[in-house]
Amino acid sequence: MEMFFSLLDSTVRVATPLVLAALAGMFSERSGVVDISLEGKMLAAAFASAAAAYVTHNPWIGLLAGMMAAVSLAMVHAFVSVTYNGNQLISGMAINTIASGITPVLALAWFQQGGNTPQLPDEGRFHEIALPFADALRDVPVVGLVYSKLISGHSILVYITAFIVIPLVAWVLYRTRFGLRLRAVGENPHAADTAGISVARVRYTALFWGGMLCGMAGTYLSVYQTGSFIKEMTAGKGFLALAALIFGKWRPVPAVIGCLLFAFADAIQIRLEGVALPVVGQIPSQAIAVIPYVLTVLLLAGFVGRALAPKAIGVPFVKSR
Amino acid sequence: MKFGQPSTLPRWAQLTILPALNLLAALLVTGLVTWMIGEDPWECLKLLISGAFGYGEGIGYTLFYTTSYIFAGLAVATAFHAGLFNIGGEGQAYLAGLGVTLVMLGFDHTLPPYVLIPLAMLAAMGFGAAWAYIPAYLQAKRGSHIVVTTIMFNFIAYSLMLYLISHQLIEAGSQNPTTRLFAENGWIPQVHEVFTSLPSSPLNLSFVFALLAAGLFYLIVWHSRWGFTLRTVGTNEHAAGYAGMSVSRVIIVAMCVSGALAGLASVNDLLGSSHRMNVLFTNGVGFVGIAVALMGRNHPVGIVLSALLFGALTQGGSDLSFEKPMITREMILFIQGLIILFCGALENLFEPFIAGLFKRKDK
């Protein structure tokens, strides 16, 4: 029981940045702009936030810096995809490469620690928050475990994600005027344009919010999880988030579930390291690491339901004359 | 200012002035960052160039890297001509290394070099093509997007190879995840062994193969029936289908050729230089290929030249990082990203400005 809850607990920890990045990708892709640059934006944010938090000893300023870094890359992507009508995939590739190049260079120049940032001082980090009565309730069966192990003891970013970001994004997407426009622009920009909606403005706004969420995701990694920036620390999480987004068929709640699923597989993998199971024997960790990618390929191929991408995705919008 | 319109410049200007301006823009941004971290950009540029071209060994290394980049660039360009964006070159080259390694581990003590090396090259092409075939098939027949599938396949290749190298192919008794050294039978002759007056470097016969491949690429893409079909599908899939071309077949064959070419990049490395397979030996060659193809505008001449540029950046960059500890090899990655951005995503960025100049001249 105890073990099961600690498994769920690490699932939540691993899933949080994935959820943020996947929702960021959702804003962008629902507006019709392919976003393979989640990885690069997260990485840039992880560096900027760690650097700012180290200098100012304030994690919130770090968060702000992370968001600014990710948003500025998102605006480069927006310029290419919206203003310039360029190739969105190539732009995404470029952003990823730029981010993995520039972050260690600046880190080395500013902090002289081989491309990483120094360990953040205690007051410069986000901490785990023990919710009230967590200790007192620990011994109550089930409820106590759920409350004290699973719900209590996370960073403020986890609570913001779970209780504010996810509901808010779902609400914005389905219940607000902006959400309606966003979906319309992603499905049929010409119709939206005829209805008097500025496609360019909607796409810029979508990418802006995507950048903000990527900024949070990157900050979570460096300012909370490891307490410093490490070279290439995103290690494919941006693509994992993209996989979860596709797995959730570009819808917020299923995408979040996808992230939880991938994170759960990751949590299990760590527990299974070196353990021989009955029948199958020892499972190599690589076999579990590969699951999300294989699932995404199968899904895209239509073997597990159909992946329904926004119809106008990847196509630059040129106003009809 | 109107961006993203088709270029109105004469073709020669499109192929020379615009890429040159894009490259200049990328270097300018790099110079700015160099200056920001407290180094002299001009001095760094000089060190970079002299590291790449200033002495014999440096030139050898530059051309060695160029070889891999030509193959990788041609691979990406083949797919581009069919309207496909192959991000999976990295995974394809990685899997091709498996083909080479299997041939070497199996036969390197029994077969003579003139059978063994071609066999290994065929295996590399076969494995690379096979790894590209699956995403191609899924795109052509099941409508899944090739970009996303090839990205996923890069990760799958990474996990698969990590498992194979560290569990199955690892040299017995070794702590490092690497295969045993291949027997000398399977080593592609290096240039300095043939022309003994040249300084030692890993530059090998593959360089000639790369140039041959570029020539063949030109003939096939622009002067063969298949090349015409390829470019038609790339320009307008629907028109091609309407004209009776089998679009799905072209997509699949183009991707397989692309994967095979990416595979040859790893032959250069495995049989020409390191003579054993390590984890992550491809070292990003598939991604450099994207930049090379974009900068070279998918034309073999452009690809050879931009592969040379990237070869020089790689070699000069590693020399530079010896001299200037502040400038690491990630700086080269940054330049590469800027080149992808300016030459690929924003290829006609400066077109409106140049077009103005050309118009004035006409009057």
Side-chain angles (χ1 to χ4, degrees), chain A residues 3-76:
Chain A
M3 155 122 179
F4 179 68
F5 278 106
S6 74
L7 204 63
L8 289 186
D9 181 61
S10 41
T11 303
V12 171
R13 278 164 209 276
V14 178
T16 303
L18 294 182
V19 166
L20 289 166
L23 294 178
M26 200 182 62
F27 268 118
S28 160
E29 302 219 329
R30 270 296 178 110
S31 80
V33 179
V34 183
D35 199 353
I36 59 170
S37 61
L38 296 170
E39 178 87 3
K41 283 183 266 189
M42 267 165 90
L43 191 64
F47 169 68
S49 60
Y54 179 76
V55 175
T56 62
H57 291 220
N58 184 336
W60 293 100
I61 294 179
L63 178 64
L64 200 69
M67 284 175 164
M68 274 166 58
V71 165
S72 29
L73 287 180
M75 289 302 105
V76 171

Side-chain angles (χ1 to χ4, degrees), chain B residues 57-135:
Chain B
E57 200 189 340
I59 297 175
Y61 270 94
T62 298
L63 293 179
F64 167 69
Y65 294 125
T66 305
T67 310
S68 292
Y69 296 162
I70 291 176
F71 283 128
L74 292 175
V76 176
T78 311
F80 260 129
H81 278 294
L84 304 163
F85 188 23
N86 179 14
I87 297 195
E90 188 69 10
Q92 289 144 19
Y94 210 173
L95 256 287
L98 178 64
V100 174
T101 305
L102 289 181
V103 168
M104 284 298 147
L105 296 184
F107 305 109
D108 62 347
H109 288 294
T110 47
L111 291 178
Y114 51 86
V115 181
L116 183 64
I117 293 174
L119 190 67
M121 288 172 79
L122 280 177
M125 291 166 74
F127 274 65
W131 201 247
Y133 173 80
I134 313 168

Side-chain angles (χ1 to χ4, degrees), chain A residues 80 84 86 89-90 93-94 97-98 100-102 104-105 108-109 112 231 239 246 284 286 290 293 297 300-301 303, chain B residues 3-4 33 37 138 142 144 147-148 151-152 155 159 162-163 294 325-326 328 330 333 337 341 345-349:
Chain A
V80 173
Y84 180 80
L89 294 160
I90 296 177
M93 267 299 296
T97 318
I98 286 174
S100 51
I102 190 82
V105 168
L108 182 68
Q112 276 98 34
K231 227 191 266 188
F239 292 108
I246 297 168
Q286 291 89 2
V290 96
Y293 307 115
V297 170
L300 283 169
F303 292 116
Chain B
F3 287 116
V33 171
I37 62 176
L138 294 177
R142 314 232 22 142
S144 52
V147 169
V148 182
I151 291 176
M152 299 299 150
F155 284 102
S159 289
L162 194 63
Y163 169 73
L294 291 171
M326 265 306 135
T328 51
E330 280 90 2
L333 203 61
L341 182 70
L346 297 168
E347 51 181 351
N348 293 331
L349 183 62

Side-chain angles (χ1 to χ4, degrees), chain A residues 177-188:
Chain A
R177 193 197 323 224
F178 173 69
L180 182 67
R181 290 181 168 178
L182 184 80
R183 286 178 289 138
V185 163
E187 294 294 330
N188 192 338

Side-chain angles (χ1 to χ4, degrees), chain A residues 185 192-193 196-203:
Chain A
V185 163
D193 184 56
I197 299 168
S198 163
V199 174
R201 199 157 123 198
V202 170
R203 288 189 172 169

Side-chain angles (χ1 to χ4, degrees), chain B residues 243-323:
Chain B
M245 299 169 181
S246 165
V247 173
S248 56
R249 215 176 110 189
V250 172
I251 287 177
I252 291 174
V253 176
M255 276 301 285
C256 287
V257 172
S258 178
L261 282 165
L264 287 175
S266 63
V267 173
N268 177 44
D269 192 89
L270 291 180
L271 298 188
S273 165
S274 60
H275 309 304
R276 60 164 80 222
M277 185 164 69
N278 305 307
V279 171
L280 287 183
F281 75 93
T282 48
N283 207 4
V285 69
F287 299 116
V288 181
I290 294 170
V292 167
L294 291 171
M295 167 125 206
R297 299 220 165 184
N298 302 314
H299 191 282
V301 176
I303 287 171
V304 170
L305 289 176
S306 59
L308 184 65
L309 172 80
F310 276 98
L313 275 176
T314 310
Q315 162 55 19
S318 63
D319 262 28
L320 178 61
S321 60
F322 274 120
E323 300 272 335

